[in-house]
Amino acid sequence: MGRSSPSWTFLTHHARVLIEVARDPEVRVRDLAARIGITERGVQKILADLHRDGYLTRERVGRRNHYGLNLDEHFRYPTEAGVPIRLLIDIFRQPDPPGQA
């Protein structure tokens, strides 16, 4: 039996954007949208939310944006409010190749 698209997911789109930015700080909005499966406009809104609330910084470098994450910022939901987002990012960040640190 084939697998169909999931009707729900454990991670929100906001979490997925954070994870993808952690993996590639110079990722383009177009590429984020394709990786996550949402519209470019949806990604732009999420990036604006994350920037406004202090989770994300943006710096224009030439024609591209370079994003930084405030990994010490805490989750927003009351039951996780004492937990830094660094823990989530560390779970999903791809490890450096051997010999790279």
Side-chain angles (χ1 to χ4, degrees), residues 58-70:
R58 312 184 252 238
E59 179 183 353
R60 194 79 172 160
V61 178
R63 297 176 62 201
R64 307 272 304 257
N65 283 323
H66 178 86
Y67 300 100
L69 298 179
N70 179 359

Side-chain angles (χ1 to χ4, degrees), residues 3 13 39 47 56 62 74 91-92 99:
R3 295 187 107 189
H13 290 143
T39 65
L47 288 169
L56 178 96
H74 291 192
I91 291 170
F92 291 99

Side-chain angles (χ1 to χ4, degrees), residues 1-100:
M1 178 176 233
R3 295 187 107 189
S4 62
S5 296
S7 61
W8 62 274
T9 180
F10 284 104
L11 299 177
T12 67
H13 290 143
H14 283 68
R16 292 181 189 286
V17 168
L18 280 173
I19 291 165
E20 291 301 327
V21 167
R23 289 177 176 164
D24 180 4
E26 295 180 0
V27 66
R28 296 181 309 169
V29 169
R30 173 180 300 163
D31 296 330
L32 276 171
R35 291 177 194 172
I36 296 168
I38 62 175
T39 65
E40 289 181 37
R41 181 68 189 120
V43 169
Q44 290 170 337
K45 182 183 180 318
I46 290 169
L47 288 169
D49 289 345
L50 295 170
H51 181 260
R52 180 192 66 232
D53 293 335
Y55 291 90
L56 178 96
T57 60
R58 312 184 252 238
E59 179 183 353
R60 194 79 172 160
V61 178
R63 297 176 62 201
R64 307 272 304 257
N65 283 323
H66 178 86
Y67 300 100
L69 298 179
N70 179 359
L71 298 175
D72 295 322
E73 191 66 43
H74 291 192
F75 286 98
R76 295 169 49 102
Y77 199 74
T79 57
E80 295 90 32
V83 179
I85 64 166
R86 172 184 314 279
L87 297 178
L88 174 73
I89 299 304
D90 287 348
I91 291 170
F92 291 99
R93 189 180 300 195
Q94 296 168 343
D96 291 330
Q100 306 261 324

